[in-house]
Amino acid sequence: MKQVLIDRYGTPWDVARCADVADVGEPAADEVVFDVLAFPINPADMWFCKGSYRLKPPLPATPGAECVGRVAAVGAAVKHVKAGDLVINLQRENWAQRRKVKGDDAIPLPAGIDLKQAAMVRINPPTALLMLSDFVDLKPGDWVIQNVANSAVGRLLIVLARQRGLRTVNVVRRASLTDELKTRGADLVVVDADDLGRRVAQATGDAAIRLGVEAIGGSATGRLADCVATDGTLVHYGSMSGEDILVSPNGAI
Ligand SMILES: NC(=O)c1ccc[n+]([C@@H]2O[C@H](COP(=O)([O-])OP(=O)(O)OC[C@H]3O[C@@H](n4cnc5c(N)ncnc54)[C@H](OP(=O)(O)O)[C@@H]3O)[C@@H](O)[C@H]2O)c1
């Protein structure tokens, strides 16, 4: 079977190679074997290959934080899935043709689900959902601001916020995204730049923005801090720039 391996950390497309490896074999009583049908390339997978992700296993290693697969065989003690079922996997190392995991890690999905959506159901949707509930007790009408609004997490957050009656300010890198994100439910779309705080205050009528979610790092973190209300909360959950977060004393206070 095929499996992606990295033998050293570095630029993902330089260090990742497709290897022929031994098949995973038959499942033990508490295991599930499934064929991988699709997996996304998440930013975390890129950081993993570069060696700058929080998980840095001994090499060689296989990337792949999530995937969707079709069950090929189950052990005798596994009752919640059967051959032919679609599953996601709670374990990593999914850039492979076939996986053998503990039964508890194989979560069944409804038949007929879009496979590309299914492949990315484990990480980004719950991330967007939990960021809207874990940090601030938001009420309908409250404002939330986020950057990387055009990302998968960002687009999910727009939809989930709209369903709850929350209003979103969506910070992007280019104005051409405005109509598309508004069609998804974005209230405001603004382009990131030095005077972000002033422009957001103007666009929201000086609304007190209670939650900011931020996934760029560097000075972008500080610009989002400038937009959040004095008693608001800023959540840093990703680092697309790879830079340390930079927030002014006033922004932090
Ligand atoms: N903490 C957690 O548990 C958790 C879970 C899931 C995701 N995340 C993080 O959430 C973030 C988004 O993930 P995703 O899978 O949704 O990403 P994605 O769909 O791959 O989108 C990446 C986004 O990052 C933007 N971007 C890339 N480089 C940038 C830079 N240097 N400055 C500003 N923006 C930049 C892109 O902007 P354009 O649209 O303009 O190209 C794009 O919108 C990542 O940082 C990821 O690591 C964290």
Side-chain angles (χ1 to χ4, degrees):
M1 64 169 227
K2 306 284 186 195
Q3 184 173 0
V4 175
L5 289 176
I6 57 169
D7 306 300
R8 59 193 166 89
Y9 290 112
T11 305
W13 43 94
D14 289 338
V15 299
R17 66 183 173 91
C18 186
D20 285 303
V21 299
D23 191 78
V24 295
E26 293 301 311
D30 63 343
E31 289 179 331
V32 169
V33 169
F34 66 85
D35 293 312
V36 175
L37 302 178
F39 56 74
I41 301 176
N42 280 309
D45 297 317
M46 305 300 272
W47 297 120
F48 179 95
C49 293
K50 289 176 187 167
S52 45
Y53 189 56
R54 65 183 173 84
L55 300 175
K56 201 171 174 183
L59 300 176
T62 295
E66 60 183 336
C67 72
V68 62
R70 193 176 300 285
V71 175
V74 302
V78 174
K79 302 295 179 202
H80 69 295
V81 291
K82 60 183 185 317
D85 285 353
L86 287 178
V87 289
I88 56 167
N89 171 22
L90 297 184
Q91 295 303 315
R92 291 168 183 266
E93 302 181 40
N94 290 310
W95 290 7
Q97 205 169 353
R98 207 162 228 226
R99 299 283 284 121
K100 181 164 72 174
V101 299
K102 292 288 182 199
D104 287 349
D105 288 325
I107 310 297
L109 295 179
I113 190 172
D114 180 277
L115 288 181
K116 287 181 183 167
Q117 293 293 309
M120 56 165 284
V121 87
R122 181 169 89 82
I123 296 180
N124 287 339
T127 299
L129 187 76
L130 293 173
M131 285 195 301
L132 289 175
S133 59
D134 270 12
F135 302 101
V136 178
D137 183 18
L138 295 164
K139 303 274 189 295
D142 281 347
W143 283 96
V144 175
I145 187 167
Q146 65 165 341
N147 59 19
V148 297
N150 185 45
S151 68
V153 173
R155 286 163 169 255
L156 287 156
L157 191 140
I158 289 170
V159 174
L160 293 167
R162 174 51 70 105
Q163 285 173 0
R164 285 182 48 189
L166 306 172
R167 292 182 284 184
T168 56
V169 183
N170 298 280
V171 182
V172 294
R173 294 199 284 191
R174 53 190 182 282
S176 57
L177 291 164
T178 303
D179 289 347
E180 195 185 338
L181 295 186
K182 284 195 167 175
T183 303
R184 288 187 162 254
D187 293 280
L188 292 172
V189 179
V190 290
V191 175
D192 206 353
D194 281 344
D195 60 346
L196 187 67
R198 184 190 59 76
R199 285 183 293 123
V200 167
Q202 198 170 38
T204 60
D206 283 322
I209 300 180
R210 304 193 52 221
L211 174 67
V213 292
E214 196 287 306
I216 298 176
S219 57
T221 314
R223 288 194 293 280
L224 226 65
D226 290 343
C227 300
V228 171
T230 305
D231 59 352
T233 299
L234 180 64
V235 178
H236 173 71
Y237 72 99
S239 179
M240 290 310 306
S241 71
E243 295 169 9
D244 290 346
I245 61 175
L246 195 61
V247 180
S248 70
N250 278 346
I253 292 164

